Amino acid sequence: MACNVAVAEEALGGFRSARKGADMAWSTSRLAALAGTSLRTVRHYHERGLLAEPVRQPNGYKNYGVAHLRRVMRIRRLSGLGLSLAQIAEMGDAEEYPEQVLRALNAELADTIARLDRVCMELALVMRKVAPTDLPPEMALAAADADLTEADHSLFVVLTRLITPKAQKACVEVLKAYGTDLRDKAFDDLSADAGEQSRHELAERMTPLARDVLAAYPELRDPEAVAPGGVRKTEQTLGEALEDLYNPAQRDVLSRIRRALAADPVADGNR
Amino acid sequence: MACNVAVAEEALGGFRSARKGADMAWSTSRLAALAGTSLRTVRHYHERGLLAEPVRQPNGYKNYGVAHLRRVMRIRRLSGLGLSLAQIAEMGDAEEYPEQVLRALNAELADTIARLDRVCMELALVMRKVAPTDLPPEMALAAADADLTEADHSLFVVLTRLITPKAQKACVEVLKAYGTDLRDKAFDDLSADAGEQSRHELAERMTPLARDVLAAYPELRDPEAVAPGGVRKTEQTLGEALEDLYNPAQRDVLSRIRRALAADPVADGNR
DNA sequence: TTGCTCCTCACGTCACGTGAGGTGGC
DNA sequence: TTGCTCCTCACGTCACGTGAGGTGGC
């Protein structure tokens, strides 16, 4: 390798040979520049005990050498690989890295990359203005196509927080299959003080479709479909959301439909 | 969509219907749980002005509704896409996102993913214990194979900080092509007080190889090969490194080689 | 009374960034 | 004398985490 040194010298035009042995060492900012980092970073490594303090000149200036540069480069590399400064400090200056730490790092890295890939897709959807950002990306597309009411959209947001991903998929299927058929203008426009008669008729008219949907997608009724928190809490949350989103007449209609479905249950698995 | 509501009710076993209109709203921790985040995060969004303060109960407890959940979900989504909370606050609650911000985000995201992919490769090298971590990954492999002296390795680290990536590539080529031929045991073991005669002979013997290398790799002599900072500084830094790494006798030998090369220059481009 | 939830400060974290205020060499 | 570099505190950043200390409903 010695020859390579000579080559390097020649290539770089010959090094400035020893100038009276005075300030042959590097200052903090020079070290930082060589390491491609900042003054503050080098000092931070001192503060954290990662980098040994070098000898000082009489005036207190620090004198760094090649060993310090190597150390800083290694810290930067390891830090870039995802290790925390605390971990790097723990490992000391050996080229031995705990297998387990590296494995964990690798797994974490793979997760991060996968997540960012997904984020990239989502961002593309948002940029094409097709995806409302309060719904998870898988739901967002279907919801946008279904042209939902504000209230219905809100309810959908709550629903995604209450049911499992599997049940969410089923919801997406329903939206895709039934499209805007699920919308009922009379329901959407129902005034809060609508009379008994109109509420009854509306419920009667809407029930068959609800029955169809339930029959076609039995996974919607899977008791495992509710997300953590328990069935009781989930039901209550849904009730609170309905109260927030629909007026009393609308809620009454929904209640009637539910009772009709309960009185004459849809058989399971007859898809 | 109203039908879907009924379906959801039935699926979830029927919601708990309005219990005397008392505490129909969500507490902070309930909102956090629904949003899949932490209590502190919700409060942080208040502090940052991202989330409107809800109405309070007489005892000071906060009462959140569906609109708050939607807002929190949107903040989480946008934050997950890489926007800072300050940026999200700036945009307000509209579904309109500044095109330019999204483009910048997308570019940044692509960069990050590319970088992490590289990091993943590097990590694999480190795990296979073939790569010293004070050298950039491209150099590391070649350096490990060449079985360098501590001093030579150190010098290599400094060199990588002084020359352009292109010149670094040339260095790797040299290491690969000449392998351990570049090592000279007599040079490595030269004592600091070696006499005139042995230094002269050593230089004489080493010069031809250095000349060969320079002839074969003219890009090493490209004046553009030095990294930012200027040729003067680069030369000086190299000199300081040599002083740190080699003893006076070794430096004298290197100096002699350099003078020999300068006296009888290698012609350019006669590869 | 006990246990659980809610509230508001307010300091801690991580890897530095950014002055503030002062000294030293040319 | 001026401009540049070096030094040591020490507070700021970002998105929260983590108690501290106190109140309220069952």
Side-chain angles (χ1 to χ4, degrees), chain B residues 47-78:
Chain B
E47 288 169 19
R48 286 306 185 92
L50 286 170
L51 184 63
E53 285 256 343
V55 288
R56 304 236 181 185
Q57 291 173 19
N59 59 12
Y61 287 22
K62 298 193 187 96
N63 271 5
Y64 294 96
V66 176
H68 294 98
L69 177 60
R70 286 185 62 177
R71 178 65 180 157
V72 173
M73 293 314 295
R74 288 195 43 206
I75 297 173
R76 300 248 81 203
R77 260 315 271 303
L78 296 174

Side-chain angles (χ1 to χ4, degrees), chain A residues 1 11 16 24 26 30 34 66 70 77 97 133-135 154 161 182 220 235 237 240 243-244, chain B residues 1 11 16 24 26 30 34 66 70 77 97 133-135 154 161 182 220 235 237 240 243-244:
Chain A
M1 171 68 182
R16 305 278 137 187
M24 289 303 102
W26 299 323
R30 187 85 191 104
L34 282 172
V66 175
R70 288 185 62 178
R77 260 314 271 305
Y97 305 116
T133 46
D134 46 11
L135 283 171
S154 288
R161 308 308 303 170
L182 289 169
L220 285 173
E235 293 167 10
T237 303
E240 287 156 351
E243 187 157 358
D244 194 345
Chain B
M1 170 68 183
R16 304 279 136 188
M24 288 303 102
W26 299 322
R30 187 83 190 106
L34 282 173
V66 176
R70 286 185 62 177
R77 260 315 271 303
Y97 306 115
T133 47
D134 45 11
L135 284 170
S154 288
R161 308 307 304 169
L182 289 168
L220 286 172
E235 293 167 10
T237 303
E240 288 157 349
E243 190 160 355
D244 194 345

Side-chain angles (χ1 to χ4, degrees), chain B:
Chain B
M1 170 68 183
C3 276
N4 209 16
V5 174
V7 166
E9 286 167 38
E10 172 63 18
L12 297 173
F15 60 94
R16 304 279 136 188
S17 49
R19 300 179 313 163
K20 311 286 142 49
D23 65 337
M24 288 303 102
W26 299 322
S27 72
T28 311
S29 56
R30 187 83 190 106
L31 176 67
L34 282 173
T37 185
S38 78
L39 200 63
R40 188 64 180 91
T41 296
V42 172
R43 290 186 179 146
H44 187 63
Y45 293 163
H46 282 313
E47 288 169 19
R48 286 306 185 92
L50 286 170
L51 184 63
E53 285 256 343
V55 288
R56 304 236 181 185
Q57 291 173 19
N59 59 12
Y61 287 22
K62 298 193 187 96
N63 271 5
Y64 294 96
V66 176
H68 294 98
L69 177 60
R70 286 185 62 177
R71 178 65 180 157
V72 173
M73 293 314 295
R74 288 195 43 206
I75 297 173
R76 300 248 81 203
R77 260 315 271 303
L78 296 174
S79 171
L81 291 178
L83 286 151
S84 71
L85 296 189
Q87 285 177 307
I88 299 173
E90 222 170 272
M91 301 184 340
D93 203 14
E95 273 280 7
E96 279 284 303
Y97 306 115
E99 184 76 10
Q100 196 193 341
V101 172
L102 294 186
R103 289 209 174 285
L105 214 58
N106 205 357
E108 200 181 311
L109 205 56
D111 280 1
T112 303
I113 291 174
R115 189 176 58 78
L116 290 187
D117 277 337
R118 283 198 304 275
V119 166
C120 214
M121 305 299 249
E122 295 178 29
L123 191 56
L125 287 183
V126 172
M127 284 176 79
R128 280 187 286 149
K129 296 171 201 287
V130 289
T133 47
D134 45 11
L135 284 170
E138 319 82 46
M139 309 265 98
L141 273 177
D145 289 345
D147 187 33
L148 303 175
T149 313
E150 267 296 292
D152 289 345
H153 182 101
S154 288
L155 184 73
F156 219 73
V157 172
V158 177
L159 265 183
T160 61
R161 308 307 304 169
L162 293 175
I163 63 183
T164 60
K166 206 176 124 195
Q168 286 180 39
K169 268 197 178 174
C171 280
V172 170
E173 296 295 315
V174 171
L175 275 185
K176 277 187 187 159
Y178 290 81
T180 50
D181 294 351
L182 289 168
R183 254 186 108 157
D184 191 305
K185 194 159 187 329
F187 178 86
D188 291 341
D189 296 343
L190 194 68
S191 73
D193 57 356
E196 165 74 20
Q197 182 66 11
S198 51
R199 299 192 317 239
H200 175 74
E201 282 173 13
L202 191 52
E204 289 264 292
R205 184 156 57 74
M206 289 171 72
T207 301
L209 182 54
R211 195 183 298 277
D212 283 358
V213 173
L214 270 181
Y217 296 91
E219 58 268 47
L220 286 172
R221 310 177 70 199
D222 183 354
E224 303 291 310
V226 302
V231 176
R232 284 280 317 254
K233 266 242 155 126
T234 302
E235 293 167 10
Q236 188 183 328
T237 303
L238 185 59
E240 288 157 349
L242 290 177
E243 190 160 355
D244 194 345
L245 298 172
Y246 300 99
N247 66 40
Q250 289 173 317
R251 297 204 302 271
D252 179 54
V253 170
L254 294 175
S255 203
R256 282 163 195 261
I257 297 173
R258 188 175 63 79
R259 283 201 296 273
L261 291 173
D264 183 9
V266 182
D268 270 2
N270 60 344
R271 194 170 182 168

